[in-house]
Amino acid sequence: MRDVHKYQRIRYSPYGMQHSKKSMEWHNEDHMLITTWRERKPQKTGVWENTQDETMENWFKVTIPYGRNYDKTWLMNSIQSQCSVHFSPVDFHYVKNRAQFFVQDASTASALKDVSYKICGEKNQKICVFVSPSAVPYSVWNKLKPEQVEQLKLTMNKRYNVYQQALDLQKLRFDPDLVGHDIDIILNRRNCMAAALQIIERDFSELLSLNLRNNKLYRLDGLSDIIEKAPKVKILNLSKNELKSVWELDKLKGLKLEELWLDGNPLCRTFPDRSAYVSAIQDYFPKLLRLDGQDLYTPIIIDSDIPELIKPCTENYQGSETIKSLVLQFLEQYYFIYDSGDRKDLLAAYHDEACFSLTIPFNLKHPAPGSFCKYFKDDRNMKKVKDPYLRRQLLKHTKRDIVDSLSVLPKTQHDLSSFMVDMCIQTDTMLCFTVNGVFKEVEGKSKGSVRAFTRIFITIPGSNSSLYITNDDLIVRNASPNEIQSSFSIPVATPCSSSMPTLSQEQQEMVQAFSMQSGMKLAWSQK
């Protein structure tokens, strides 16, 4: 038993703070346990201490909690503007909601630490910046060798179409040229994606189309640098990959994509229907024209130079004309989609929390109410619907409920030349206008029936100079005889009106378009 005690070792905790070292030994002569203490200097724990291993110890990890909530370009520019030294972030990526990158210099790390709480987000919340020592980042430790980069460059050159400015990198890992040189390029690895993007930036600066199909991509952190490396890309193919969440696209939302392919990714199965899928993708890329090879209706975005609505001013004629043009273009695009047959694409026109109300303003004893049966289900006319709870139930809330409700109403064709538009309220943050006009139903028992309507829109300015509807009130009634007679027709010459020439179909369309844009009556527009 003495021998056991004699060779007994003390368990050592490598993570404990040690201010002195204790040794224990047994003395054979009297079998007494002697404890001795040897003073030693405390370990230096300062983060900014230089160490002997410059390569391993001089790397620092910078973490921004909730960094995913901010645009990457804005975030990095804001940090750089407050940092006392210039720095080059290495391996920027996201971990859950955190944004992270690395720097290699201790003085840079110290300067970045001082940036904490000096930057404010949109809601005036202060942004934290945490800095801690780190091992060498993976993308640096596993950086491709120069000969590997050169072979990758040669391979990419073979895959580049100079006439279409298109680069095809599908199944890049299995390219015979790379496999033949025993080079394993896996684009999920940030070092490989970084090398590919550097080649794109240097050799394919005018790139318009990038095909990354079938590369088993399950995250897009490494690809996020494409916003700076290849900002002109309009077509991106990410089909047949392993992307599970639409949130991954948030890392690319700085791209002004016009065509995107995502079919074959698990994220496509997370939506209840195609309209929800399209709407979610358009939230990231509002100028998208094609998705998975299918044309999309042009989003209701007004291409205007003004970032917000102009303040009301009777002397500001130019401002009034700008708002007039904005509203007319909005209505033209809205009713083009409304009359197209598939109203699901109107999701892009509504705010997420918008409200919609439908009213039929005539007595149920009227001889013609049967033709309005599809409208009565959601009618909120308070003269008829006395129950306040039921009226609240009939109010459509959220854009999906609104578009679902509009989709079951009869198919229509609106007469744009009948529209009368009035501006009610105009401020920096809100625009209210009313539309009066006629439409006819184009299917069902009431096919050909002409209706009159009044619509009140309350809108707010959105991103990219778009308008979002927050409140929509639709009132439908029977058209008067005069409204029916003047609808869907262009006045042409009569025998007693020799001064008015007969117009061709093309000329009639031109007159109608001019009348819509100028606000003139059709008769005056024809002159």
Side-chain angles (χ1 to χ4, degrees):
M1 292 298 292
R2 294 177 185 175
D3 293 338
V4 173
H5 287 294
K6 182 175 181 178
Y7 296 105
Q8 182 177 5
R9 295 182 179 181
I10 300 170
R11 180 169 297 174
Y12 171 66
S13 173
Y15 305 107
M17 293 295 293
Q18 299 179 353
H19 298 285
S20 59
K21 186 174 181 180
K22 179 172 66 174
S23 64
M24 302 176 64
E25 59 181 28
W26 285 89
H27 289 257
N28 289 336
E29 52 269 20
D30 52 7
H31 307 293
M32 294 180 63
L33 178 65
I34 305 297
T35 303
T36 60
W37 298 81
R38 181 169 69 250
E39 295 296 329
R40 71 179 244 179
K41 294 180 180 179
Q43 293 180 342
K44 294 181 179 180
T45 57
V47 172
W48 321 116
E49 297 282 346
N50 288 330
T51 65
Q52 293 179 354
D53 191 340
E54 296 292 331
T55 303
M56 291 297 293
E57 299 297 335
N58 273 9
W59 281 97
F60 298 86
K61 180 171 66 176
V62 182
T63 302
I64 299 95
Y66 305 104
R68 188 186 287 274
N69 297 339
Y70 309 106
D71 176 74
K72 176 186 173 183
T73 302
W74 175 87
L75 181 63
M76 299 309 299
N77 288 341
S78 299
I79 293 175
Q80 182 65 79
S81 66
Q82 294 293 329
C83 188
S84 58
V85 300
H86 179 77
F87 67 93
S88 298
V90 175
D91 200 1
F92 183 97
H93 62 283
Y94 297 99
V95 179
K96 295 184 178 179
N97 286 327
R98 304 187 299 275
Q100 291 183 346
F101 61 90
F102 299 88
V103 293
Q104 192 180 3
D105 182 64
S107 60
T108 301
S110 181
L112 285 168
K113 184 184 178 189
D114 293 337
V115 173
S116 191
Y117 296 106
K118 291 184 179 179
I119 305 170
C120 292
E122 292 181 357
K123 298 181 180 179
N124 209 33
Q125 71 276 22
K126 294 187 179 297
I127 297 176
C128 305
V129 178
F130 297 129
V131 183
S132 59
S134 171
V136 179
Y138 176 86
S139 59
V140 176
W141 185 263
N142 294 276
K143 187 175 181 179
L144 297 182
K145 298 176 181 178
E147 58 270 21
Q148 293 176 320
V149 174
E150 185 61 27
Q151 183 58 50
L152 177 60
K153 176 183 174 180
L154 293 174
T155 301
M156 291 173 64
N157 271 312
K158 289 183 178 180
R159 288 167 166 254
Y160 182 66
N161 186 322
V162 66
Y163 301 106
Q164 298 181 356
Q165 295 175 307
L167 181 60
D168 184 1
L169 298 183
Q170 64 174 312
K171 292 187 176 181
L172 183 62
R173 183 181 185 183
F174 304 104
D175 187 281
D177 290 340
L178 296 175
V179 175
H181 289 81
D182 197 24
I183 299 175
D184 198 11
I185 299 296
I186 302 177
L187 293 180
N188 260 324
R189 295 175 180 172
R190 287 196 288 268
N191 61 325
C192 295
M193 183 66 81
L197 290 177
Q198 286 175 0
I199 294 172
I200 289 174
E201 180 183 30
R202 185 173 60 249
D203 298 340
F204 313 119
S205 58
E206 300 299 316
L207 184 67
L208 296 178
S209 175
L210 178 61
N211 186 353
L212 294 173
R213 177 186 174 93
N214 233 324
N215 277 291
K216 297 188 182 298
L217 298 175
Y218 61 88
R219 59 196 305 176
L220 299 177
D221 293 83
L223 188 60
S224 63
D225 286 338
I226 194 176
I227 301 169
E228 293 83 28
K229 307 289 187 184
K232 296 182 180 181
V233 167
K234 302 293 184 185
I235 303 173
L236 181 61
N237 191 336
L238 294 172
S239 59
K240 301 294 182 180
N241 280 293
E242 302 296 333
L243 301 174
K244 294 181 174 60
S245 171
V246 72
W247 295 342
E248 289 295 322
L249 299 178
D250 186 65
K251 302 165 186 176
L252 306 178
K253 65 181 180 181
L255 289 176
K256 298 178 181 179
L257 293 181
E258 296 178 358
E259 183 172 346
L260 177 64
W261 298 72
L262 291 170
D263 59 298
N265 282 280
L267 69 84
C268 297
R269 300 191 294 270
T270 63
F271 297 95
D273 52 48
R274 177 168 173 79
S275 64
Y277 170 55
V278 171
S279 177
I281 304 305
Q282 286 183 323
D283 284 344
Y284 294 104
F285 308 107
K287 294 187 177 181
L288 202 64
L289 302 178
R290 288 173 61 85
L291 179 60
D292 298 335
Q294 298 185 27
D295 291 334
L296 305 179
Y297 285 109
T298 304
I300 300 182
I301 296 174
I302 307 304
D303 188 12
S304 172
D305 293 333
I306 55 173
E308 58 183 5
L309 301 183
I310 300 173
K311 294 182 179 180
C313 177
T314 56
E315 299 178 359
N316 193 349
Y317 178 78
Q318 182 179 1
S320 299
E321 284 299 305
T322 304
I323 296 298
K324 173 184 173 182
S325 176
L326 183 148
V327 170
L328 292 180
Q329 187 176 351
F330 176 88
L331 291 173
E332 183 179 355
Q333 294 178 358
Y334 182 92
Y335 282 103
F336 173 78
I337 297 174
Y338 191 95
D339 292 341
S340 67
D342 184 4
R343 295 171 182 160
K344 295 293 185 182
D345 290 309
L346 288 174
L347 282 167
Y350 287 89
H351 186 274
D352 289 341
E353 301 300 324
C355 293
F356 170 73
S357 176
L358 173 64
T359 303
I360 310 297
F362 60 75
N363 196 309
L364 283 173
K365 295 180 181 179
H366 192 280
S371 62
F372 282 82
C373 59
K374 289 190 176 181
Y375 294 91
F376 281 130
K377 182 172 66 71
D378 294 321
D379 179 25
R380 295 184 69 247
N381 189 343
M382 65 173 56
K383 288 187 176 181
K384 294 181 290 183
V385 184
K386 305 295 184 180
D387 184 355
Y389 174 77
L390 179 57
R391 294 193 75 250
R392 285 196 299 271
Q393 290 292 102
L394 292 173
L395 182 67
K396 304 304 177 184
H397 189 66
T398 76
K399 64 180 182 181
R400 299 196 183 282
D401 287 345
I402 294 172
V403 174
D404 287 344
S405 178
L406 295 176
S407 297
V408 299
L409 294 179
K411 299 294 188 294
T412 59
Q413 179 186 349
H414 285 75
D415 182 4
L416 299 184
S417 66
S418 71
F419 282 16
M420 291 191 299
V421 184
D422 183 28
M423 199 79 63
C424 304
I425 302 174
Q426 176 185 344
T427 71
D428 285 342
T429 56
M430 187 263 288
L431 182 63
C432 176
F433 52 93
T434 63
V435 187
N436 294 278
V438 298
F439 66 86
K440 64 181 178 182
E441 297 184 12
V442 297
E443 69 175 14
K445 295 181 179 179
S446 300
K447 182 178 180 180
S449 299
V450 178
R451 316 292 186 198
F453 76 95
T454 297
R455 201 146 190 179
I456 305 171
F457 289 112
I458 298 178
T459 64
I460 60 174
S463 59
N464 299 317
S465 300
S466 59
L467 289 179
Y468 288 130
I469 302 170
T470 57
N471 291 81
D472 180 4
D473 189 4
L474 173 61
I475 303 168
V476 181
R477 60 177 175 81
N478 271 322
S480 68
N482 287 338
E483 288 172 325
I484 295 174
Q485 185 176 3
S486 62
S487 63
F488 299 98
S489 64
I490 302 290
V492 296
T494 62
C496 61
S497 175
S498 58
S499 62
M500 298 294 289
T502 303
L503 301 180
S504 66
Q505 180 65 29
E506 180 179 0
Q507 289 174 324
Q508 291 179 19
E509 293 174 355
M510 292 174 63
V511 170
Q512 186 172 358
F514 178 75
S515 172
M516 180 64 185
Q517 293 295 328
S518 64
M520 288 185 181
K521 293 182 178 179
L522 287 172
W524 286 98
S525 299
Q526 183 175 342
K527 294 180 180 180

